[in-house]
Amino acid sequence: MKWKKLGKIFDPTEHALPNRCMEFAQSPQALVLADRVRVYFSTRERDSVGKYLSHVAYADFSRDMGQLLGVSQHTVLPLGGLGCFDEHGIFPINVLRDGDRVLAYTTGWNRKVSVSVDAAIGLAISYDDGITFQKLGTGPILAASLNEPFLVGDAFVLRYGETYHMWYIYGTKWKRFSETEPPDRVYKIGHATSSDAVNWRRNGRQIIDDRLNADECQALPSVICLDGVYHMYFCYRQADGFRTDSNRGYRIGYAHSTDLENWVRDDSVAGIDVSAEGWDAQMQCYPHVFQCEGKVYLLYNGNEFGRHGFGLAVLMDQKSDVKE
Amino acid sequence: MFRWKKLGKVFDPKDLTESSWMHEFAQSPSVLLVDGAAVRVYFCSRPKPDTNGQYLSYISFVDLDRNNLRNILRVCERPVLELGTYGTFDEFGTYPVSVIRAGDEVRAYYAGWTRCESVPFNAAIGLAISRDGGNTFERLGDGPVLSYTPDEPFLLGSPRVRRFGCGWQLWYVAGKEWRMTDGKPEPVYKIRMAISDDGINWVKQGRDLIADKLGEHECQACPDVSYRNGRYHMFFSYRDIRNYKGREGGYRIGYASSLDMLNWQRNDDRVGISLSETGWDSEMVNYPHLFELAGATYMLYQGNGMGRAGFGLAVLESESAWERT
């Protein structure tokens, strides 16, 4: 795979944003419409105690991704009520066209006392091409379970035939790496299937091998089928020191599969890496692959987890070989 | 109508003369009939609170003399289950508990507690298993066995597990809303049910089972179900959302019956147990748990302060109470 970087295409500081949001345009994810590509992202406001709340917004682009048409100015999806799993943020949001509706799989965040946060996956549905969404209930559709005890999130859903497939992440531990810092989280990529998009059966195992070490954190899987092969882009990083040391920060990883069960990880085939300098030089994270007008695009975030916006790359040669 | 004769308080850790890890509270009694001379009663108790006054809750037990249930043979020397690790659902407490024998195992279903920022806490239901007859337990996984879903967004607690017929049944409580009440967030929760083939994978039945008596803000807990005389009988607890820490709005015991475990007719008038004039159960009677021994039906229940005053025992005066058509 070889990607041509088209640069940063959206900077949140250059636009008025809804919900008093100021910075961050994280985890861009596309909904391809007849006359535009709607790119959802999560942006942030500071609440009354100075902590962040993540809100969903979107930017509309022309179908050739060359022109920014506008930025949402309304509340696309409200945060959850008191005590709910998504009370303190929705980040990311994954959207899937499903007949006349658009399904949104959200990761809801809530603040805790010993650890800082927990997360679970919710479902919201739109009947107006993704302008607004209504939540299915006030609780999550995929939450902590016996062997996935916390931090369930980053859902990415596709439908193949009658089966919905979800790739997502789940926490495995909070581990203390230094005497002075609070424990850091470790999470891995899993897979679940569903016949109704609501009730999911987890297959109960980590599907992507670790590359760095057993504490590698894997996030935001994104899958696309090209020429009969399933390609997964995701991001991964060291479990500690990742905020300040760019060598420990997020990079984009890659795996491929022919059966949606067994994945072969081969980051060397990913075809994209950090730039020598600029907005994606320290970090690359939250990849999202999609197709429009015969082209394959990769949306992603750069430095500081997307504080300064998101960028785009286009696949150069779709016939490029998958190395065996 | 049921008529319960109170036999008095059975256990309060504050009454212990020897030193114990238990500082106060004896909550949610749950019986495991042990072979031999003893009836084991599991419950939840707490060491001294931390400097902020916050408690941790652990699962404990006492063995009672089956020939004299007010005679304590053994007091649990240490908690039977450690709390969950950092960041898990049961890091800050395990309460209430419901214990059941399954072949060579003893299983404990419990609510695990975690602490949150906007609301004080959340809970989900965990499962721990003992292979030494119930002296020590290990959790089946680090996460809960019953967790949050779209219509059960938080506060899954008060598990009571049963095995009627070939399946497993779990009656429990699900939070519906955190409601700002007198300036504080207070939860509203209702009794629900799940069923299972193996006691591990549960199918929620998705509805509130017990009609409210106090209004939609009524909180319901501890749905303890018995099968007698062709009918299912549920003794449970309910309270107001306000002033529930004392006599005025505190927990009482309610009653409902059912032919199919899912459709329940509430009739608190039949319950036949209420507050005492004075003493350890004069402000609250709650968290009932029924068991049979030597042809008699007993009810364990906790008293004032939601079990801060310990738990006690009552006996059903006449078994003919079950024979209502």
Side-chain angles (χ1 to χ4, degrees), chain A residues 84-159:
Chain A
C84 289
F85 76 105
D86 54 353
E87 180 182 1
H88 297 122
I90 297 176
F91 160 61
I93 179 171
N94 172 250
V95 285
L96 173 68
R97 163 75 62 188
D98 192 51
D100 62 350
R101 59 184 190 167
V102 179
L103 306 178
Y105 293 89
T106 64
T107 301
W109 294 86
N110 58 93
R111 299 178 192 151
K112 302 187 70 178
V113 166
S114 64
V115 296
S116 53
V117 284
D118 201 358
I121 295 169
L123 174 59
I125 299 174
S126 171
Y127 292 95
D128 59 6
D129 274 348
I131 297 170
T132 58
F133 291 84
Q134 287 77 47
K135 294 181 188 181
L136 183 81
T138 53
I141 58 155
L142 206 73
S145 62
L146 266 180
N147 297 309
E148 299 179 357
F150 37 67
L151 292 169
V152 176
D154 283 12
F156 178 87
V157 178
L158 289 176
R159 181 177 180 173

Side-chain angles (χ1 to χ4, degrees), chain A residues 51 87 111-112 114 139 144 146, chain B residues 86 91 114 117-118 143-144 147 150:
Chain A
K51 294 186 179 181
E87 180 182 1
R111 299 178 192 151
K112 302 187 70 178
S114 64
L146 266 180
Chain B
Y86 190 74
E91 181 182 358
T114 184
E117 186 183 278
S118 62
S147 191

Side-chain angles (χ1 to χ4, degrees), chain B:
Chain B
M1 172 153 174
F2 297 93
R3 290 186 192 281
W4 299 92
K5 179 185 173 187
K6 290 183 176 179
L7 301 177
K9 186 166 72 173
V10 172
F11 181 75
D12 177 350
K14 293 193 294 295
D15 297 337
L16 289 171
T17 52
E18 297 180 0
S19 74
S20 168
W21 62 273
M22 291 180 270
H23 175 62
E24 56 180 351
F25 287 96
Q27 300 179 285
S28 77
S30 173
V31 162
L32 183 72
L33 292 172
V34 181
D35 294 336
V39 171
R40 177 161 292 182
V41 181
Y42 291 89
F43 58 94
C44 299
S45 188
R46 310 182 187 182
K48 280 186 180 169
D50 66 17
T51 51
N52 297 320
Q54 291 195 292
Y55 287 96
L56 301 172
S57 186
Y58 293 88
I59 300 170
S60 182
F61 67 79
V62 290
D63 286 341
L64 307 180
D65 181 346
R66 65 187 297 142
N67 296 312
N68 175 7
L69 291 170
R70 297 191 62 198
N71 183 26
I72 295 171
L73 302 176
R74 178 182 171 190
V75 176
C76 168
E77 299 83 5
R78 61 190 66 83
V80 299
L81 178 68
E82 298 292 316
L83 296 184
T85 54
Y86 190 74
T88 53
F89 76 104
D90 53 354
E91 181 182 358
F92 292 106
T94 48
Y95 159 75
V97 64
S98 177
V99 176
I100 194 167
R101 191 179 295 281
D104 294 337
E105 300 175 350
V106 179
R107 293 187 183 182
Y109 294 80
Y110 62 94
W113 293 83
T114 184
R115 295 177 186 161
C116 305
E117 186 183 278
S118 62
V119 294
F121 46 75
N122 200 0
I125 294 171
L127 170 57
I129 293 177
S130 172
R131 295 186 175 85
D132 62 3
N135 291 323
T136 60
F137 289 80
E138 288 184 11
R139 39 180 65 61
L140 190 62
D142 286 336
V145 74
L146 203 74
S147 191
Y148 317 117
T149 44
D151 67 336
E152 298 181 3
F154 39 66
L155 287 175
L156 301 187
S158 262
R160 287 291 181 188
V161 67
R162 293 288 184 272
R163 296 179 73 179
F164 298 120
C166 55
W168 293 69
Q169 301 84 32
L170 187 69
W171 285 274
Y172 63 100
V173 157
K176 298 195 82 73
E177 181 189 356
W178 281 95
R179 186 178 291 198
M180 290 306 290
T181 307
D182 303 330
K184 282 194 327 186
E186 291 285 353
V188 176
Y189 41 87
K190 306 293 184 187
I191 289 169
R192 293 196 159 205
M193 183 193 186
I195 59 175
S196 173
D197 293 330
D198 58 10
I200 297 170
N201 298 289
W202 292 93
V203 178
K204 294 179 175 180
Q205 299 303 293
R207 57 170 144 144
D208 300 334
L209 301 185
I210 303 298
D212 291 323
K213 178 176 166 181
L214 304 180
E216 60 165 352
H217 58 275
E218 174 180 274
C219 295
Q220 304 169 345
C222 192
D224 192 83
V225 177
S226 303
Y227 180 69
R228 299 291 288 271
N229 202 35
R231 192 178 286 261
Y232 298 93
H233 305 263
M234 182 190 292
F235 290 81
F236 58 95
S237 296
Y238 66 99
R239 65 164 172 82
D240 209 326
I241 197 171
R242 281 195 164 81
N243 301 320
Y244 58 88
K245 293 186 175 172
R247 182 175 182 131
E248 183 185 349
Y251 272 122
R252 305 286 187 270
I253 295 176
Y255 169 81
S257 64
S258 170
L259 294 172
D260 62 4
M261 299 193 274
L262 200 53
N263 296 287
W264 293 86
Q265 195 71 38
R266 181 170 182 172
N267 188 355
D268 292 2
D269 293 341
R270 295 198 67 216
V271 74
I273 188 167
S274 60
L275 301 180
S276 296
E277 288 294 312
T278 58
W280 74 281
D281 64 348
S282 59
E283 297 180 354
M284 285 177 213
V285 290
N286 55 127
Y287 283 72
H289 173 64
L290 273 60
F291 68 101
E292 294 177 64
L293 184 68
T297 302
Y298 294 90
M299 178 194 287
L300 286 161
Y301 64 99
Q302 64 193 37
N304 299 347
M306 284 171 264
R308 189 185 285 258
F311 66 80
L313 187 68
V315 63
L316 189 61
E317 287 189 352
S318 168
E319 292 294 314
S320 64
W322 303 108
E323 290 168 11
R324 177 178 178 264
T325 55

Side-chain angles (χ1 to χ4, degrees), chain A residues 204-272:
Chain A
R205 64 181 177 91
Q206 179 183 340
I207 61 167
I208 301 297
D209 291 339
D210 294 318
R211 176 180 169 192
L212 301 176
N213 51 56
D215 294 331
E216 174 182 275
C217 293
Q218 306 171 343
L220 208 87
S222 178
V223 174
I224 194 166
C225 184
L226 300 171
D227 302 327
V229 176
Y230 300 97
H231 306 265
M232 181 189 292
Y233 282 83
F234 55 95
C235 53
Y236 67 100
R237 60 167 172 78
Q238 299 280 2
D240 68 314
F242 58 93
R243 289 187 183 86
T244 51
D245 181 350
S246 76
N247 291 317
R248 302 180 71 80
Y250 272 125
R251 295 292 183 274
I252 289 177
Y254 170 83
H256 59 86
S257 171
T258 54
D259 59 6
L260 294 174
E261 291 287 331
N262 302 289
W263 291 87
V264 177
R265 179 169 182 174
D266 188 354
D267 295 354
S268 70
V269 184
I272 191 164

